[in-house]
Amino acid sequence: MTNDFHAFPPIQARFPYIWHGGDYNPDQWLKHPGTIDEDFRLFKQAGINMLSLGIFSWASLEPEEGRFEFGWMDDIFERAEKNGIGIILATPSGGKPNWLAQRYPEVRRMVRHDDWPGVPPVREEQFRRHNHCYTSPVYREKVACIDRALAERYGKHPALSMWHISNEFGGQCHCPLCYAAFRNWLKARYGTLDALNEAWWTGFWSHRFQAWDQVQTIDPSVEGMVLDWRRFVSHQTVDFCAMEADVLHKHAPGIPVTTNLMGFNPWHDQFQMAKVVDVISWDCYPQYHDRPGSEETQGFALAHCLNRSLKDKPFILMESSPGPINWAPINRLLRPGQHRAKSLQAIAHGSDSVLYFQMRKGRGGSEKFHGAVIDHCGAETSKTRMFREVEALSKDLTTLQPVVGAYTPARVALVWDWENSWALRASSGPLDIAKDVVRTIRKHFDALRRHGVCIDIIHPERDLSRYQVVVLPSLYLLQDGFAEKCKQFVENGGTLVGTYLTGIVNQYGLTFSHGWPGDGLRRLFGVWDEEIDYLYPEERNEIRFQFESGSALTGCCEVRNVCSRIHAEDATVVATYEHDFYAGEPAITCRKAGKGNAWYIAAECQDDGLAALYAKLLDGANVPRLVASELPSYIDVTERIAADGTAYLFLINPTKMETKIDLGIDEWRDAFTKEAGPQTIQLGAWASRVLFRRPAVK
Ligand code: GLA
Ligand code: ZN
């Protein structure tokens, strides 16, 4: 096991604190005198130190093709500098101006009807945002032109901290330019039509291609084609972002770039996106409520961990809502304390910022009811409950400044691969719920975090040697060479966990032929997964653990949805099925290989059973726990370690369920009061605590 953890310098030396602020749209208010003065007065009062500017400002910056108006933006830069506020300057490519859409129709994306994919695609009208063709040479040219103008004008401004490329990249376009680019991408990937036909298994339903230009649509029955289309769309999106990053790097050297990502956004491989930006940032909108065990609460911790893992370093929380959102069917107010809890939760998992959408609510448009720091009541905003919570949070963030750049000492990793999720989605069958890999990974994440461990979410390309436990939750598609890497990991002492639906297809989406899990994993786990039983939603089976009596893990655990019938060819049986015709057959196995262990979980275990199994597995692998107590799944306990070795322990309760946590050791002090102890922490509704511990003096 390697020890390659280290802390990081702040993203921008001129702004070495936790960034607090966010999406500011003064160009909506240019005809409302006094508003911008009021904004800056309130920013100061609320402890705002960073604004993200110009995200949808293309029409204000370039009202006619080639004619730029920077006066209003110059004014904001000056005010920011005067007030010691930094600016994350956006490129405006997330929303196009009317003149562009009208003069150059090719920039408007073409869409296909999902229910009847064989019908020719249609071109969209100019409306909404985030709907451009990423292939269009005209779009690329016009975007590069405005980006360059911004870089030349503001690239050296002392208030500029970072670039924010576009906004929430996503979607796909089915225009002739995109299809031509897809065909070129295929030629580069396969070289010959023969290789393409082989990879796509086009003998099926007479789909063999005799010429490249026969690739004219995306045919859902050619699953290899769907998988490659998803790869191409991802490639094209990342390439578009890289094009923007190149312009900015060239014309404003030394300023880092980011683009705001979206959790497990299905549209592009964010591990690839991570390679073309300098900083990871993402937009996080938890809808916390008082339902314990809610998907929302847990899903966001997982997404934070994913974002930290993308570049294996701290990230930026680019958007969150200081108040209710406006786009859910029910938009509840944030309960007192919730804003702090969700903000500190992001810091806990690796964010060096708390940024918002939005700084001020507009008077019109479809986001006028979305939470903001400055409300419709204008000057009276400082009396509002949410403003006061934002103001209070800014004081806490100032106290937490030493956390900037601190790392997360994760020794446990879950493997996540966008290509895997696309391949499973593209597959007709086997079972919809099992194709939702985010759901599966979340189950394992939740079961693991109940034991107070930090968890990374890693790509199969990543070096595994830092980890003690690596889990492959339904890693249906295996990238070439990954199975061999798993073998090395286990032989060197690692604990590997495979689940049902792991190792079924190769990188083309073609099934492995010599027994599942394929590509050598059958031998590593010592298991042959012969056939998979998918259950109706109301059906249950049970598994019985086979550990000696007296073990913490005895008795039965309910299983649902997926039950693989496996043969323990060279592995110890740890649990067996209780019911159905496969009663008595193995359901969980473990094989010792070299210095490590390879576990196989053949069925979807109910949460408590899975957590109990992980307790045993983590103990066996000697993974250190952050606290002594086992935690309820909704509580977030995580750690960051600063450059001087000080450890920060975050205890977050995003629900109203009270919890007691036994810390196990008594060296912790409160980060805000600096008081020592107590050893047992009572965490009330929406409570968030931060503790710290100095490294032992050697
Ligand atoms: C996204 C966008 C923002 C805004 C918010 C509203 O994250 O990036 O522009 O629309 O949603 O929640
Ligand atoms: Zn297109």
Side-chain angles (χ1 to χ4, degrees):
M1 188 172 69
T2 56
N3 199 354
D4 59 346
F5 292 119
H6 60 89
F8 298 83
I11 289 168
Q12 176 59 266
R14 276 177 282 131
F15 304 99
Y17 30 74
I18 296 182
W19 295 356
H20 187 211
D23 184 308
Y24 182 43
N25 301 293
D27 46 327
Q28 292 176 16
W29 294 90
L30 297 178
K31 292 202 165 25
H32 300 255
T35 307
I36 294 172
D37 295 335
E38 190 171 274
D39 290 343
F40 275 85
R41 185 176 58 73
L42 291 166
F43 292 162
K44 208 153 192 129
Q45 190 177 335
I48 298 305
N49 60 31
M50 191 61 64
L51 297 171
S52 30
L53 185 67
I55 298 169
F56 292 106
S57 295
W58 198 339
S60 314
L61 291 167
E62 192 180 0
E64 285 172 47
E65 187 171 3
R67 184 172 69 76
F68 298 103
E69 281 185 8
F70 290 118
W72 66 270
M73 191 172 263
D74 292 349
D75 173 53
I76 302 299
F77 264 88
E78 264 166 49
R79 289 174 188 257
E81 191 190 352
K82 225 178 278 164
N83 287 279
I85 295 177
I87 288 185
I88 301 171
L89 185 55
T91 69
S93 58
K96 55 188 164 324
N98 284 321
W99 59 257
L100 180 66
Q102 194 176 33
R103 192 164 308 151
Y104 306 102
E106 72 167 53
V107 306
R108 283 185 268 130
R109 151 178 98 171
M110 289 183 76
V111 291
R112 238 181 34 173
H113 203 293
D114 272 352
D115 298 335
W116 198 238
V119 170
V122 291
R123 192 164 304 277
E124 280 187 359
E125 297 294 350
Q126 156 75 336
F127 79 142
R128 293 204 176 124
R129 58 175 182 176
H130 302 164
N131 51 3
H132 336 286
C133 170
Y134 295 135
T135 306
S136 155
V138 171
Y139 196 62
R140 288 181 174 229
E141 180 202 320
K142 297 296 166 197
V143 167
C145 172
I146 179 91
D147 287 5
R148 179 177 175 165
L150 287 167
E152 287 177 346
R153 191 164 189 97
Y154 301 108
K156 293 202 173 70
H157 198 288
L160 181 66
S161 63
M162 184 165 71
W163 292 105
H164 176 299
I165 296 180
S166 204
N167 196 67
E168 295 190 337
F169 279 116
Q172 59 186 332
C173 172
H174 292 271
C175 79
L177 293 169
C178 284
Y179 280 4
F182 181 43
R183 286 188 291 269
N184 286 337
W185 182 90
L186 292 171
K187 281 181 204 161
R189 180 173 170 84
Y190 292 104
T192 65
L193 268 178
D194 243 13
L196 175 98
N197 280 311
E198 195 54 31
W200 287 1
W201 205 254
T202 52
F204 178 73
W205 286 0
S206 196
H207 282 313
R208 195 167 299 283
F209 290 96
Q210 289 89 20
W212 292 100
D213 66 4
Q214 290 167 354
V215 179
Q216 287 288 349
T217 189
I218 309 307
D219 182 341
S221 68
V222 185
E223 292 177 354
M225 179 194 232
V226 179
L227 174 58
D228 274 341
W229 171 252
R230 299 304 299 255
R231 288 182 171 125
F232 164 76
V233 169
S234 175
H235 164 86
Q236 208 67 349
T237 311
V238 172
D239 186 64
F240 187 90
C241 182
M243 179 278 295
E244 291 208 62
D246 286 349
V247 174
L248 301 171
H249 282 144
K250 181 162 171 216
H251 297 285
I255 304 294
V257 309
T258 190
T259 185
N260 50 337
L261 304 175
M262 294 184 282
F264 285 82
N265 178 0
W267 288 112
H268 62 268
D269 180 339
Q270 295 184 170
F271 286 108
Q272 300 308 321
M273 191 61 103
K275 294 179 182 166
V276 305
V277 294
D278 304 304
V279 175
I280 294 299
S281 66
W282 87 286
D283 302 344
C284 176
Y285 290 97
Q287 293 147 62
Y288 286 150
H289 43 62
D290 48 10
R291 299 174 189 167
S294 75
E295 297 277 283
E296 288 85 350
T297 309
Q298 294 150 5
F300 288 97
L302 171 62
H304 283 309
C305 289
L306 169 70
N307 279 279
R308 184 191 66 244
S309 305
L310 288 176
K311 265 192 179 298
D312 191 22
K313 64 181 192 188
F315 61 91
I316 287 295
L317 175 67
M318 186 58 86
E319 292 181 20
S320 61
S321 185
I325 50 168
N326 72 324
W327 40 260
I330 296 173
N331 301 292
R332 296 210 72 188
L333 292 181
L334 293 181
R335 275 37 223 165
Q338 272 183 339
H339 180 64
R340 183 179 195 263
K342 74 180 168 58
S343 301
L344 293 185
Q345 184 188 34
I347 308 276
H349 288 291
S351 175
D352 279 353
S353 73
V354 175
L355 298 175
Y356 306 125
F357 178 86
Q358 50 192 340
M359 297 310 296
R360 178 186 270 273
K361 288 181 187 172
R363 293 184 61 198
S366 60
E367 294 188 320
K368 63 181 183 298
F369 293 131
H370 191 290
V373 175
I374 304 177
D375 214 326
H376 291 130
C377 58
E380 303 234 75
T381 283
S382 51
K383 297 184 199 151
T384 63
R385 184 175 67 92
M386 276 322 299
F387 186 88
R388 290 215 204 100
E389 289 210 22
V390 168
E391 200 180 352
L393 179 70
S394 80
K395 300 202 170 81
D396 290 342
L397 297 182
T398 306
T399 309
L400 292 179
Q401 181 171 336
V403 173
V404 171
Y407 68 86
T408 303
R411 292 288 183 196
V412 176
L414 294 162
V415 175
W416 164 262
D417 181 0
W418 262 269
E419 297 195 359
N420 175 53
S421 68
W422 297 331
L424 253 177
R425 284 273 180 218
S427 156
S428 182
L431 175 80
D432 282 357
I433 195 166
K435 291 200 284 185
D436 183 350
V437 198
V438 178
R439 176 182 170 277
T440 308
I441 200 170
R442 188 183 283 175
K443 279 191 164 295
H444 289 263
F445 180 78
D446 289 343
L448 283 160
R449 68 206 275 265
R450 281 166 68 168
H451 305 296
V453 292
C454 297
I455 305 165
D456 280 350
I457 313 299
I458 61 169
H459 188 269
E461 258 177 20
R462 185 79 149 261
D463 177 14
L464 303 181
S465 57
R466 173 200 289 176
Y467 302 105
Q468 289 166 279
V469 175
V470 171
V471 185
L472 320 178
S474 295
L475 196 66
Y476 164 84
L477 177 148
L478 293 183
Q479 301 286 0
D480 284 356
F482 182 67
E484 180 56 32
K485 199 161 150 180
C486 290
K487 185 167 165 249
Q488 298 299 327
F489 170 72
V490 175
E491 282 174 356
N492 291 335
T495 297
L496 183 74
V497 182
T499 75
Y500 54 87
L501 276 179
T502 289
I504 310 292
V505 301
N506 69 7
Q507 57 157 316
Y508 302 110
L510 299 173
T511 53
F512 287 112
S513 296
H514 304 288
W516 298 335
D519 206 20
L521 289 186
R522 174 175 176 180
R523 182 171 304 162
L524 180 59
F525 289 112
V527 157
W528 173 34
D529 194 324
E530 181 196 333
E531 56 179 352
I532 311 178
D533 195 15
Y534 296 103
L535 278 52
Y536 287 111
E538 69 283 2
E539 287 182 312
R540 303 282 181 264
N541 200 326
E542 279 179 303
I543 59 171
R544 180 176 291 282
F545 289 106
Q546 303 295 319
F547 292 110
E548 63 291 353
S549 65
S551 157
L553 200 56
T554 49
C556 281
C557 162
E558 191 179 277
V559 297
R560 304 178 185 182
N561 297 315
V562 191
C563 295
S564 268
R565 281 196 55 241
I566 60 172
H567 303 268
E569 295 175 322
D570 177 24
T572 307
V573 177
V574 167
T576 48
Y577 288 108
E578 281 285 277
H579 312 289
D580 219 320
F581 72 94
Y582 41 90
E585 293 184 6
I588 301 179
T589 60
C590 178
R591 174 171 177 261
K592 264 198 125 3
K595 295 188 217 143
N597 291 292
W599 295 69
Y600 196 81
I601 305 177
E604 185 190 300
C605 298
Q606 179 270 344
D607 298 347
D608 289 340
L610 189 59
L613 179 67
Y614 273 124
K616 187 155 184 89
L617 213 139
L618 291 167
D619 283 346
N622 288 320
V623 179
R625 317 288 173 88
L626 296 172
V627 293
S629 314
E630 186 177 324
L631 304 161
S633 65
Y634 51 86
I635 294 288
D636 237 331
V637 172
T638 188
E639 187 181 43
R640 290 183 70 178
I641 301 180
D644 68 357
T646 306
Y648 292 85
L649 185 69
F650 292 78
L651 312 163
I652 314 279
N653 181 5
T655 72
K656 72 173 181 193
M657 309 278 287
E658 302 241 324
T659 308
K660 233 189 224 158
I661 300 173
D662 179 8
L663 297 178
I665 48 167
D666 57 7
E667 297 161 19
W668 294 105
R669 288 176 177 272
D670 186 283
F672 304 104
T673 65
K674 315 286 185 239
E675 276 168 23
Q679 200 170 327
T680 301
I681 301 268
Q682 184 79 28
L683 220 50
W686 332 120
S688 37
R689 296 282 304 266
V690 186
L691 311 176
F692 73 98
R693 179 157 61 111
R694 300 250 181 256
V697 186
K698 296 215 174 90

